[in-house]
């Protein structure tokens, strides 16, 4: 799926030590509380954003522990919450439709519609650029900081 992020982190501790150390802890990122819980056999880092109204896209991070001879590999998989993914997906669909419309106008519209096709492509590029910037400042920043916190604690 789109917007998923993966990382591998190595640790010298075994799986049981890591689970005991991580479970129940809280981490703060941008004044937002994330809690580490066990759910369906996986460790999940879940945001508590019930009272926040300015946060748009937040990740849920799932940790998988793979034991090795000299420690553990922690695989992280981050994805946006279901409630948060709608806005970015709608913007990507808008960009795809505006790009398709621009291409069709350019190819089949004749000389009079070339300017309109350039404008549609420009709008699509601007929306995609703004979406990328917003996701890098918000959603992917949370993921980077969660992974950095995990690296420092394992």
């Amino acid at each position: 799926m789109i917007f998923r992020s993966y990382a591998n982190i190595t640790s010298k501790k075994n799986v049981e030590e890591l689970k005991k150390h991580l479970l129940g802890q809280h981490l703060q990122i941008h004044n937002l509380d994330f809690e580490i819980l066990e759910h369906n056999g996986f460790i999940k880092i879940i945001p508590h954003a019930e009272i926040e109204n300015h946060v748009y896209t937040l990740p849920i991070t799932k940790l998988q522990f793979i034991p090795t001879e000299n420690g553990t590999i922690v695989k992280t998989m981050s994805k946006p919450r279901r409630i948060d993914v709608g806005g970015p997906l709608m913007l990507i669909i808008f960009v795809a439709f505006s790009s398709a419309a621009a291409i069709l106008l350019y190819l089949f519209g004749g000389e009079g519609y070339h300017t309109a096709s350039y404008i549609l492509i420009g709008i699509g590029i601007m929306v995609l650029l703004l979406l990328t910037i917003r996701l890098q400042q918000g959603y992917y920043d949370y993921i980077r900081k969660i992974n950095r916190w995990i690296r420092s604690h394992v």
Side-chain angles (χ1 to χ4, degrees):
M1 176 83 188
I2 194 167
F3 305 124
R4 290 196 179 180
S5 179
Y6 300 92
N8 290 331
I9 301 166
T10 58
S11 173
K12 299 209 183 289
K13 298 178 184 177
N14 66 17
V15 174
E16 294 306 318
E17 284 181 66
L18 289 174
K19 283 185 177 182
K20 188 172 73 170
H21 180 69
L22 292 175
L23 280 176
Q25 287 199 24
H26 291 262
L27 62 137
Q28 293 280 334
I29 301 173
H30 300 298
N31 296 325
L32 186 64
D33 183 48
F34 286 80
E35 186 175 3
I36 302 174
L37 303 168
E38 187 165 11
H39 182 60
N40 292 338
F42 290 102
I43 304 290
K44 288 190 175 185
I45 301 174
I46 300 172
H48 290 288
E50 294 84 17
I51 58 171
E52 296 290 325
N53 56 6
H54 69 281
V55 179
Y56 298 111
T57 306
L58 294 172
I60 293 177
T61 304
K62 182 170 69 171
L63 304 178
Q64 180 181 8
F65 299 102
I66 301 171
T68 60
E69 302 91 34
N70 54 353
T72 304
I73 295 175
V74 181
K75 288 186 163 221
T76 66
M77 192 271 296
S78 299
K79 65 179 183 178
R81 300 182 304 171
R82 284 186 195 163
I83 195 168
D84 294 338
V85 77
L89 279 178
M90 285 180 51
L91 288 174
I92 288 177
I93 290 169
F94 169 77
V95 169
F97 278 125
S98 69
S99 298
I103 290 169
L104 290 174
L105 275 175
Y106 188 82
L107 293 176
F108 302 114
E111 294 291 323
Y113 291 104
H114 284 209
T115 304
S117 67
Y118 295 144
I119 291 172
L120 278 175
I121 287 288
I123 290 171
I125 289 171
M126 288 301 296
V127 168
L128 194 60
L129 182 66
L130 289 173
L131 175 67
T132 303
I133 290 170
R134 291 282 301 196
L135 285 175
Q136 287 296 327
Q137 291 175 344
Y139 174 70
Y140 290 111
D141 187 44
Y142 283 113
I143 292 173
R144 283 188 298 269
K145 289 183 178 177
I146 287 170
N147 286 339
R148 190 176 314 135
W149 186 89
I150 293 169
R151 276 189 187 94
S152 70
H153 283 76
V154 299

